[in-house]
Structure formats: C-alpha cells, structure tokens
Amino acid sequence: MGILSKIEDRPTPKCVYNWRVYACAAVASFAAMMIGYDSAFIGGTIALPSFTKEFAFSKLTTAQVNFISANIVSCYQAGAFFGAFFAYPAGHFLGRRWGLLLFSAVFIVGAAMMLGVNASMGLGLLYGGRALAGIGVGGASNLTPIYISESAPPAIRGRLVGLYELGWQAGGLVGFWINYGVSTTMKPSHTQWLIPFAVQLIPAGFLFAGAFWIPESPRWLLSKGRREQGLKNLCWIRKLKTTDIYIIEEVAAIDTALEAQRAATGLGFWKPFQALRRDKKVMYRFFLGGALFFWQNGSGINAINYYSPTVFRSIGITGTNTGLFTTGLFGVVKTVGTFIWLLVLIDKLGRRNLLMIGALGGSICLWIVGSYIAIAQPALHPTKTLSSGGIAAVFFFYLWTAFYTPSWNGTPWVINSEIFDQNTRTLAQAFAAANNWFWNFLVARFTPQMFAKMGFGVYFFFASLMLCSVPFVFFLIPETKSVPLESMDRLFDRSLKPWRANKIVMREVQSLEREFRHDIEGAHLDVEKVPTQHVEKM
C-alpha cells in the first residue's frame, strides 16, 4: 500500500480525487497561512533591537517589558476568540465562501493599521490592529476546516483538512525565518522591524482573491434549500454528472441527514443552541471538541511559538541572531513533520493513535529538557557555546517538536471539522475555535510571567498536561478516519466503545452502501428522481 493510497467508504471513481478539490482546499488554507505567520513572527519581531530601541524598552523594568510584550501578543488572541464566535452567524447566513471573504478583509484592515505604528504615535495602533487581525483569523480558523471537510471525499478528508495545517506551518516557517533574515541583512531601523508586519498582507491577499474563485460548500447550499446550485457545485468539485451513482449516493446521504436534523432539531439559526441545551449527545461532542484544544495548548506549543527567544534563552542559547536561527530550525522541523503527517499519517495511522503517541513521546522530551535546566541552570551560568548537556537538551526539544507536530498540531482541527452534523457544525466549530483562542490567549498572556516565576517548572507543567491527555483520548475519542460525515452520530453512540467504534461503523456503512447501490441500479434512478424533503429556512 503506497503512502498516497486511500481507504474508501465505498467504490469511488478516480476522477473524484481531482485537482479541483485540492485547489479549493489549498485556497481556503491561505487562512491558515495567515494564522501561522502571525503566530510565528511576532515574538521575534518585538525582540529585535530596532523595535526595543524605538519604543525605549531599555528604560523599562523587566516586569514592564514582559507586560507590554504579553499585551502585544495576546490582544491578537483576544480578537481571535471573538472572531471565532462571529464566524457562526457569518457561516450560517452568508455561507462558508463569503464568510472567508469577509474575515480576510477584516484581517487586511488590521494588518494595514499595524503599518502605521511608530514611536511618536505609541503602541495603541499596534494593539488595535492586532485585535482586528485577530478577529479576522478567528473567523477564518472557524470556517476554513468546515469548508474543506464539507467539500472533501471521505477517503481524503483528513489529507485535505491537513492542507489547512500545512498552510499554518508554511506561514509559521516564513514567520520564524523572516526575523533572522532582517536581523542579519539589514541595519537596525524602523523599516527593519516593519517588514515582518507588512508580510502579513500577502497570504491574506491570496485568500481574499481566491475566495472569489472557489465554489460555495454544496452541503451548505443543500441545507438552505438551494438544491440546483448545490448539485452544480458538487458535480463540479467531483467532476461527475448528476446521473452518476456516486453523486446520487452522496446527495441521498446529505438529504437523509438534513431531514433527520430537521425532524430532530430544525435547521434555523437558533436551533443548534436549542439542541445544545436539550441534547446531551450534542453537548458531549461540544465538550470533546473544545477539550482537544485545551490539551493542544497544554503541550506548551504556543508558549514556544510566541516566545521562542525566551524559551531558547532558558536552555542556554544566547545572542539575538543565534536565538533567531535556532527558532528558524524549530520552524523547519515543524514543517517537515507536517508534511509527514499530511502524506502518511493522518489517513493511515488515524487520529486517535497519533494523539496518544505524540502526547506520550512529547511528555518524555519535556521532562528531560526541564530536568537539564533544573540541574545545570544555564541562565545563571551563561557561556558562548552550549555544553554537551545543553546540546542534548536542544536535541530533545527538537524531538519534542517531531512528536508534537504530526500529532497535536493539526489533528484537533481535523477531528472538529468532522464530528458534528450539518446543522450544528458551524456553531460547534465556532465553540472549538474559540476554545483554541481562549487557551491560546492565556498561554500568550502569562508565558513571560511563568518563565520569570517558575523557571524549569514550566517544562514540567506542560509535560504533565501532555501525559494526562493520553487517557483522555483513549477513553473518550473514537477514530473518525474514513467515516462519512453523515455517520458521525452513529460513531459517537454511547453504546459503542471509542476504541472499537470505527470498525463497527465502517462495517455498517459498507453494508448500507451495498444495499443502496443494489436498489438504485435496479430502479434506474438518477439524482433528480431521488425523493427530497422540504428544507426549513429561518
């Protein structure tokens, strides 16, 4: 079995895996590139001597510098928290495509505001621009995985949603290295630190332009009763005619799921809130989706993303350029790990196994790094070159990155894009994304203070959280690999054990598919003749 082979839920024409479905996912994933770049560049940029000199950080106490740095970083997460919730009405009323257009435009305005920052005006415009950019990425982080998962064939859904994570890491790689580039090739100046802020506009511009080309989600159109346009978009993405049995099957499954939702909760704007209040099964999945982002942030990843110079100084790496170079290598390891995750692991090894292996291996690495710092205390004994123990600590730090990236970095986004039905998916993704940005905000806001007060204990803290995530995944998260979106309710049936649910549901799906094909072929039906139900509009 090759690395790009697929496990299909039913016989699938080869043309379904065409360039269009990959291109749509790639365009939408520019949203992730915005997020990845913004997360990576900021810590290094505000640590550049040109930035600290222009805003007179040398005249401030360490506590004041930590406070300002934390505010610059964390107002972005605060904006993203609210943006994730704003995405629900945008995704419900405007659709996935127009929602991406809206939030990319908001991000562009925020990024443009940051370019007006200088010493005479102070940091107010920077705070405002970062908050507005945060709203843009918060909304985009909600809608992009939904759009991709709703458009993707089940066999490559993980891989396509994985393009979102790949975009995140590609943006992060540029963000980590750009500070090293301007630091080594330019003299300290206002322009030197402004360039990394300006580069934010590039991925946002690509998303804004590309969103005019990609088609709207067929599932969203069908849920709104726009059947003709929904069928047109689905056939275009799949490169099939409406009479093809694969299209007939897919549309019938969507119709059945929508009718079940209409009968159970309704399809209006407030219906998911009502379902959440009265249906414990829906509430349980909301809890699981949000909890995955708690554990993701509990790995310590965003402490490293936003404050990488501080993290590497704690290991004993000194000098601005050396710290930025080491940070750049961190970005390279993350990007390589994401490629492996995308091409080999996510649709082969599955979601559950990745999360447990990554958490266990990553925890061990952080215990080792923290132990080195506790024993050697490199911050109190600075040297121009790393000791053998310091080199080992850096190795285990990169090994932690190699465990984390192909597991917890993108898999929670994949799972959250899959596990909810059509009517609650946008609200659920808003809740999950808001969870991500809430925990992200706490980490970004208090990491400088944690390192100042806890020292090596920060590594032990995150190592303990990674270890605790293993039983959470094993006992509560079922494997979603290859399961059609319309079968997720059955996958999360409380009568099924999470570690066995996938095999049981896949056998049922394949059995139903054989029966359906037999009935359709015998009746000579096409998609226009399949009975449809009235879809409620609110």
Side-chain angles (χ1 to χ4, degrees), residues 311-376:
V311 171
F312 286 113
R313 275 199 303 271
S314 73
I315 299 176
I317 295 173
T318 58
T320 300
N321 290 346
T322 304
L324 293 174
F325 181 81
T326 312
T327 299
L329 290 180
F330 165 67
V332 171
V333 175
K334 286 183 68 182
T335 304
V336 172
T338 301
F339 268 107
I340 296 171
W341 172 80
L342 177 65
L343 296 177
V344 181
L345 300 177
I346 188 64
D347 283 325
K348 293 290 194 310
L349 195 58
R351 288 55 156 161
R352 274 170 52 88
N353 291 333
L354 280 175
L355 293 176
M356 290 187 287
I357 293 170
L360 184 60
S363 177
I364 294 171
C365 293
L366 289 183
W367 284 112
I368 294 172
V369 174
S371 297
Y372 163 75
I373 296 172
I375 296 169

Side-chain angles (χ1 to χ4, degrees), residues 374-527:
I375 296 169
Q377 298 182 317
L380 299 179
H381 307 93
T383 59
K384 292 183 179 180
T385 58
L386 281 175
S387 65
S388 57
I391 293 172
V394 172
F395 167 79
F396 278 103
F397 174 81
Y398 286 132
L399 185 59
W400 170 85
T401 308
F403 273 112
Y404 169 83
T405 303
S407 55
W408 283 93
N409 214 36
T411 307
W413 292 101
V414 173
I415 293 174
N416 271 281
S417 73
E418 297 174 320
I419 64 177
F420 301 100
D421 62 39
Q422 180 69 34
N423 196 34
T424 60
R425 188 172 297 131
T426 309
L427 178 62
Q429 189 71 13
F431 177 79
N435 260 277
N436 171 63
W437 293 114
F438 174 74
W439 301 115
N440 208 310
F441 168 80
L442 292 181
V443 171
R445 181 64 184 81
F446 296 110
T447 290
Q449 291 85 349
M450 288 176 68
F451 271 101
K453 297 292 184 181
M454 298 171 63
F456 64 85
V458 174
Y459 294 94
F460 293 162
F461 173 74
F462 289 126
S464 300
L465 288 176
M466 290 193 83
L467 197 59
C468 291
S469 69
V470 175
F472 174 87
V473 172
F474 181 81
F475 289 108
L476 299 179
I477 304 294
E479 179 55 65
T480 60
K481 180 182 67 174
S482 299
V483 177
L485 295 181
E486 289 72 31
S487 298
M488 289 296 167
D489 282 345
R490 173 59 178 154
L491 184 71
F492 281 86
D493 193 306
R494 299 301 292 273
S495 66
L496 301 180
K497 301 296 183 184
W499 53 91
R500 297 173 182 165
N502 182 272
K503 290 183 179 179
I504 295 172
V505 172
M506 287 302 294
R507 283 198 298 267
E508 294 174 353
V509 167
Q510 290 162 0
S511 175
L512 289 172
E513 180 272 330
R514 286 191 294 269
E515 293 177 10
F516 182 86
R517 285 190 172 235
H518 179 270
D519 293 342
I520 290 295
E521 289 169 351
H524 303 291
L525 293 175
D526 62 31
V527 72

Side-chain angles (χ1 to χ4, degrees), residues 57-258:
F57 278 18
S58 61
K59 298 179 181 179
L60 305 175
T61 66
T62 301
Q64 289 174 323
V65 171
N66 287 342
F67 181 76
I68 291 173
S69 299
N71 285 341
I72 292 172
V73 173
S74 62
C75 62
Y76 168 80
Q77 283 79 21
F81 174 81
F82 292 103
F85 283 116
F86 295 155
Y88 174 62
H92 181 86
F93 291 113
L94 300 179
R96 313 333 189 187
R97 172 174 170 263
W98 283 101
L100 288 174
L101 268 168
L102 171 66
F103 287 111
S104 60
V106 170
F107 182 92
I108 289 171
V109 173
M113 287 172 59
M114 296 181 219
L115 300 184
V117 176
N118 55 56
S120 61
M121 294 185 63
L123 293 170
L125 200 59
L126 179 57
Y127 292 140
R130 291 225 4 119
L132 200 58
I135 292 173
V137 300
S141 70
N142 179 332
L143 294 176
T144 298
I146 295 175
Y147 175 81
I148 297 174
S149 69
E150 290 182 348
S151 304
I156 59 170
R157 189 174 60 237
R159 186 182 303 166
L160 290 177
V161 177
L163 287 175
Y164 173 78
E165 180 59 29
L166 183 61
W168 194 311
Q169 296 313 315
L173 183 64
V174 176
F176 284 128
W177 280 104
I178 195 167
N179 291 306
Y180 180 76
V182 298
S183 178
T184 55
T185 62
M186 299 179 66
K187 293 181 179 180
S189 64
H190 176 78
T191 302
Q192 184 194 49
W193 65 260
L194 198 64
I195 286 175
F197 282 97
V199 173
Q200 298 176 97
L201 291 166
I202 297 174
F206 276 115
L207 176 62
F208 183 79
F212 284 100
W213 173 76
I214 60 176
E216 181 56 82
S217 161
R219 280 178 168 82
W220 181 82
L221 290 167
L222 289 169
S223 74
K224 297 299 178 183
R226 296 167 59 180
R227 189 172 184 82
E228 182 177 350
Q229 187 63 47
L231 292 175
K232 180 180 178 181
N233 287 8
L234 183 62
C235 290
W236 183 84
I237 293 171
R238 299 287 185 263
K239 292 189 76 172
L240 293 171
K241 296 180 179 180
T242 57
T243 53
D244 191 281
I245 192 168
Y246 185 89
I247 293 291
I248 296 172
E249 278 184 301
E250 188 164 9
V251 173
I254 296 171
D255 286 340
T256 300
L258 288 174

